[in-house]
Amino acid sequence: MTMKPGFTAILITLALSGCSIQSPKPSWITSSQKDQFTDKTSCTIQLAKYYTRTSAYTQTGEYYPFISMVDNQLRVGVRSGGRALIPVGDVQLRIDSNPAWNITTAETPIDSSAATNYQLPSYTNLTSEQQALITETQKSAMASITKTMSPYTATTGDKAQKIIQQLISGNKLIYRTVGLNQTGSTTGEYDLASMKESLIAGLNQCGIKY
């Protein structure tokens, strides 16, 4: 199968039974991976743009809701699609008539950053307290930049769990990115009711409680 330019394929486990000659309908797709350098494991449930019987495709410049369990940390948010990942910025999710969820880059967990290994050069004219203060300031600034430029924006903990509960019981999801002047499509909408079965299957596969 030839992949369209600007798209990326996601290997999937679909909660479907039987076969159909019709084009697959949108559904939550589940994939697992392990980083070969850090051994960090992740299990992700994500929506996409185009579906085939064996794969799902996202497009560069567009954004897609996702649920992920990364080393026992639950994440819910929106991520960049396609092969060329771009920053997402702050996002909003709304399920049915419930109040919209605002998810910011500030609350987004980061997996790796130069800030974590940053070491300030030693200056003889600075006291140890001054060096420690400058080092911490530099680390915070670099962490903030990393979150702002992240190809995903997500929340964790109780907030993430509440969003999942609404996704399970909801009928319609709408979402958008806010705060960044992106040129691509920044809004989306999905029929949740028709995808409930695949969502439940993905949550079970990833070991996410609901």
Side-chain angles (χ1 to χ4, degrees):
M1 177 177 60
T2 301
M3 186 180 299
K4 296 180 180 180
F7 288 77
T8 187
I10 309 167
L11 296 178
I12 60 174
T13 302
L14 293 174
L16 300 176
S17 60
C19 298
S20 173
I21 59 174
Q22 298 179 345
S23 299
K25 296 180 179 179
S27 62
W28 293 89
I29 57 178
T30 305
S31 61
S32 300
Q33 65 179 19
K34 182 177 181 179
D35 190 290
Q36 60 181 330
F37 293 99
T38 65
D39 291 332
K40 178 172 289 188
T41 59
S42 64
C43 186
T44 300
I45 312 160
Q46 181 179 332
L47 293 171
K49 186 176 183 68
Y50 299 111
Y51 296 82
T52 71
R53 295 180 62 182
T54 58
S55 302
Y57 297 86
T58 59
Q59 185 173 15
T60 297
E62 296 188 351
Y63 306 92
Y64 304 89
F66 78 97
I67 302 168
S68 187
M69 182 66 79
V70 181
D71 276 356
N72 297 317
Q73 181 190 59
L74 176 63
R75 302 176 181 182
V76 176
V78 173
R79 66 196 306 172
S80 173
R83 291 183 174 182
L85 301 180
I86 59 178
V88 175
D90 295 346
V91 300
Q92 289 181 313
L93 304 175
R94 191 178 190 190
I95 297 99
D96 298 338
S97 59
N98 295 300
W101 293 98
N102 296 305
I103 305 177
T104 67
T105 57
E107 64 188 292
T108 298
I110 52 178
D111 295 320
S112 63
S113 171
T116 59
N117 299 316
Y118 181 80
Q119 296 292 329
L120 181 73
S122 178
Y123 295 103
T124 57
N125 61 330
L126 295 179
T127 65
S128 58
E129 290 79 9
Q130 289 173 326
Q131 289 194 41
L133 177 61
I134 294 176
T135 299
E136 187 59 34
T137 300
Q138 291 285 356
K139 284 184 177 180
S140 297
M142 293 179 72
S144 178
I145 293 173
T146 300
K147 291 183 178 186
T148 300
M149 299 304 293
S150 171
Y152 64 88
T153 298
T155 189
T156 60
D158 185 62
K159 182 176 177 179
Q161 198 70 56
K162 289 180 178 178
I163 295 176
I164 290 176
Q165 292 171 358
Q166 287 189 5
L167 290 172
I168 292 174
S169 60
N171 293 306
K172 184 175 74 170
L173 166 67
I174 58 175
Y175 63 97
R176 66 180 177 183
T177 60
V178 293
L180 285 179
N181 185 22
Q182 298 289 355
T183 58
S185 173
T186 60
T187 62
E189 179 178 323
Y190 284 93
D191 176 12
L192 292 173
S194 65
M195 301 187 294
K196 182 176 180 178
E197 184 179 351
S198 60
L199 174 59
I200 296 296
L203 294 173
N204 287 332
Q205 183 173 331
C206 291
I208 298 174
K209 296 181 179 180
Y210 56 90

